[in-house]
Amino acid sequence: NLNRQFLFRKADVGRNKAQVAAERVLEFFKRTKGEANITAIPKRVDAASKNQFDEIIASSDCVFSCLDNVAARRFVDGLCLEHCKPLIDTGTLGARGSVQVVLPHLTETYSDAADPEDAEDPIALCTLKQHPYRADHVVLWAKECFEEQFTRRPERLRRFLAAYGDAGSVRRYFRGRALSEALEALEDVRLLLSGVKSCTAWARSLFEELFVHRIEALKLAHPKDSVDENDEPYWTGSRIWPREVDTEFPAAQDFIAAAARLRRMSLFPDSASEEDQILEPLISNDNENVIAALELEVARLVNRKSTLSGTTSLSFEKDDDEHLAFVTTGANVRAAIFGIP
């Protein structure tokens, strides 16, 4: 909701949302010379905090619910019904907004009125990226990986090479862009120069990035004995401590093979052969060195009169066996990492 909220700033990243919201609203009152007594409660709105919310709701005249998920709304709705307190629930979904007034034992409750088709919450991005705990989480994550690597990435490469005119055009194109974009372009141009034989090595590097390095980074950011902002164990509930895998993991080779086939289909659609080759590692963090290397490699590509006319940006098709193989194997590896049956 960042496009329409006015409580949080970049400097607030990492802080508790309730505390920041309380501070910001108090600032609004001070600017208008108004007065307010606001208490932030840095707790999850669920059954684990029932005792504290029991006291709050029991001592309130009216409850305003501005929550961001159905489960929390139903929890507050149940407490208001239990304590016979009026509830005003507000929310948004896309361009739609809603307000519901609930008077216990006089009107239908929020839980009674919830539309069945809207009752399922969208999955939070942090759940997909860091803390999956259901099968659909890993499937959606794998499908997103497909779209990033085989739909959007080839399109980014096509746009870059279409803009190439001379050596100076490389610097102009990446001026103001993230270093990661130039590194990705350099890797892709080198793969084009190496030919189809380097696709398997690229796929192995992709496996290590997705399933080894990112898991290591997650564990480094949140060690097994770490706590959350409430001093509760971080790895509890739906947060599952991930296991380690490597390229010898049973499903790893299936994933690597599926990724290599899609990479060949995307960049070399007319070639069906396969040969393993070790790619030159891209370890530079110096933007100037990356751009200089990219200028040289693109010039080599142009001198060889290579063309991207056959390069394909793949759109996911659920009936395509190659597409399904990547999503299935990727979801299976991630499920194994997080202990999802």
Side-chain angles (χ1 to χ4, degrees), residues 131-336:
H131 303 299
Y133 57 90
R134 297 196 318 241
D136 58 327
H137 295 168
V138 295
V139 171
L140 287 172
W141 176 90
K143 184 173 179 291
E144 166 60 24
C145 286
F146 174 97
E147 293 172 347
E148 171 60 21
Q149 296 299 327
F150 307 114
T151 304
R152 296 191 290 269
R153 182 169 181 165
E155 180 60 22
R156 289 194 294 268
L157 177 62
R158 186 200 63 77
R159 287 198 302 268
F160 162 60
L161 289 171
Y164 180 79
D166 52 38
S169 64
V170 175
R171 295 177 183 273
R172 289 193 296 273
Y173 186 86
F174 286 104
R175 184 176 298 130
R177 296 175 185 260
L179 176 62
S180 59
E181 292 188 45
L183 282 168
E184 177 186 276
L186 179 56
E187 182 180 31
D188 288 348
V189 168
R190 283 177 170 170
L191 192 145
L192 284 170
L193 288 166
S194 300
V196 67
K197 59 182 178 286
S198 58
C199 288
T200 299
W202 174 87
R204 185 177 294 110
S205 296
L206 179 65
F207 176 91
E208 292 175 346
E209 168 61 24
L210 295 177
F211 300 114
V212 179
H213 302 323
R214 291 189 185 180
I215 297 302
E216 290 173 347
L218 177 61
K219 288 182 172 181
L220 185 63
H222 303 287
K224 199 167 188 177
D225 58 352
S226 60
V227 297
D228 61 17
E229 65 271 15
N230 299 321
D231 288 330
E232 300 290 340
Y234 185 85
W235 295 102
T236 189
S238 62
R239 292 173 180 162
I240 302 167
W241 178 254
R243 62 175 288 191
E244 295 180 1
V245 299
D246 56 29
T247 54
E248 300 304 316
F249 185 70
Q253 294 306 314
D254 293 335
F255 174 87
I256 292 169
R261 288 195 299 269
L262 290 175
R263 189 65 160 162
R264 289 198 303 274
M265 291 168 60
S266 178
L267 294 187
F268 308 100
D270 298 326
S271 177
S273 63
E274 178 180 357
E275 180 182 341
D276 203 357
Q277 175 175 309
I278 303 301
L279 291 177
E280 180 179 347
L282 302 179
I283 58 176
S284 174
N285 288 320
D286 184 338
N287 191 64
E288 185 67 23
N289 289 342
V290 171
I291 296 299
L294 187 53
E295 288 173 337
L296 293 173
E297 300 291 34
V298 175
R300 288 174 59 202
L301 193 65
V302 172
N303 290 337
R304 283 175 46 173
K305 298 183 174 10
S306 298
T307 177
L308 286 180
S309 60
T311 301
T312 302
S313 179
L314 305 178
S315 296
F316 180 77
E317 295 287 346
K318 61 182 177 60
D319 298 321
D320 189 303
D321 290 342
E322 298 290 357
H323 296 187
L324 283 179
F326 178 86
V327 172
T328 301
T329 55
N332 286 343
V333 174
R334 191 158 174 85

